[in-house]
Amino acid sequence: MSKLYIVPTPIGNLKDMTFRAVEVLKEVDLILAEDTRTSGKLLKHYEIATPSQSHHMHNEHKTVELLVQKIKSGTTVALISDAGTPAISDPGFLLTRACIEHQIEVDCLPGATAFVPALVNSGMPNDKFVFEGFLPVKKGRQTRLLLLAEETRTLIFYESPHKLIKTLAHFCEYFGEDRPVSVSREMTKLYEETIRGTAKEVLEHYTAKPPKGEIVIVVGGKPKE
């Protein structure tokens, strides 16, 4: 029986790839990639010739059992996502759980993930925090926001650029216009920026200057009375 490696990849800057991650990807028998075209650029950059195949949210339910059997038969597999650590708002949880259930060893390497530097860079309390990932798009969104409005710990969200203004407007409505917000955009990339202020101030900023790129939002928790 072989094992499954969970391998983080850079969220933007290719230099954030670890030596160990490169070594593992060169030594395994197969790389599971969220998008082989995107990952192909990274693999080429580090001269990694290991065969790869797609493993994404649209096919993972169908392929998990086959992959488990492949690993049990002796194939060493590495799972990567397009950027960051697999299974954090990306495919990976189902395969990891299945491997554990089948007593297959799982080894998760440390490495890049977007929300940790965004949290630290926000200047908000980070001794306790809640990672929410992406909010529901429609069904359940209001219910979730009403629940989170009472949360006293720092909140972390992922958001796409075309939904950022809507989400910030909802924060103003449900959390209050004065709630502290920090938006980190294009982290580790050339045009990286972090905008901090109240929910209202950050909303006004991005209403005037529509955002681009990957986004992490950090929101202060409800003040304790």
Side-chain angles (χ1 to χ4, degrees):
M1 185 184 295
S2 201
K3 67 192 294 186
L4 171 68
Y5 287 97
I6 309 295
V7 182
T9 54
I11 58 175
N13 193 321
L14 290 181
K15 293 179 182 178
D16 290 332
M17 190 73 168
T18 69
F19 291 115
R20 186 181 172 207
V22 173
E23 183 179 78
V24 167
L25 293 179
K26 286 184 176 182
E27 292 179 352
V28 296
D29 302 310
L30 176 67
I31 296 172
L32 301 177
E34 187 177 0
D35 187 328
T36 54
R37 294 166 298 181
T38 300
S39 299
K41 300 173 185 177
L42 176 72
L43 301 181
K44 182 179 179 181
H45 180 83
Y46 284 103
E47 299 179 343
I48 299 169
T50 306
S52 63
Q53 72 179 54
S54 296
H55 182 76
H56 48 73
M57 62 180 296
H58 301 295
N59 72 1
E60 61 177 338
H61 288 83
K62 301 175 183 178
T63 59
V64 163
E65 287 303 319
L66 290 174
L67 289 170
V68 165
Q69 294 307 314
K70 185 184 287 282
I71 297 170
K72 289 180 72 172
S73 69
T75 302
T76 303
V77 174
L79 173 66
I80 62 176
S81 63
D82 287 347
T85 301
I88 303 296
S89 292
D90 273 324
F93 164 69
L94 293 178
L95 180 58
T96 301
R97 181 178 64 180
C99 285
I100 292 170
E101 290 173 348
H102 286 268
Q103 298 182 327
I104 294 171
E105 184 179 357
V106 177
D107 189 351
C108 183
L109 278 61
T113 188
F115 79 82
V116 173
L119 170 62
V120 175
N121 201 30
S122 73
M124 296 184 204
N126 53 34
D127 55 332
K128 295 181 178 65
F129 58 89
V130 179
F131 175 69
E132 280 291 313
F134 290 95
L135 282 166
V137 177
K138 294 181 180 178
K139 186 178 181 181
R141 187 180 180 93
Q142 182 182 36
T143 301
R144 194 69 195 158
L145 287 166
L146 285 169
L147 178 67
L148 293 174
E150 300 302 314
E151 177 60 64
T152 58
R153 293 169 291 182
T154 301
L155 299 162
I156 306 170
F157 303 89
Y158 285 164
E159 192 52 280
S160 59
H162 66 280
K163 294 178 182 174
L164 177 62
I165 292 174
K166 174 184 176 181
T167 295
L168 290 172
H170 280 158
F171 290 167
C172 288
E173 178 182 353
Y174 291 94
F175 301 165
E177 294 183 345
D178 293 332
R179 189 72 72 92
V181 169
S182 175
V183 174
S184 291
R185 186 180 67 82
E186 290 288 82
M187 299 193 69
T188 79
K189 299 178 184 178
L190 182 62
Y191 298 105
E192 175 181 354
E193 70 170 9
T194 296
I195 301 297
R196 307 175 186 87
T198 65
K200 182 180 180 181
E201 289 169 344
V202 177
L203 172 59
E204 289 173 346
H205 172 85
Y206 283 111
T207 299
K209 186 180 179 182
K212 296 180 181 179
E214 301 296 321
I215 291 166
V216 184
I217 313 172
V218 182
V219 181
K222 181 181 180 181
K224 296 180 181 179
E225 298 178 356

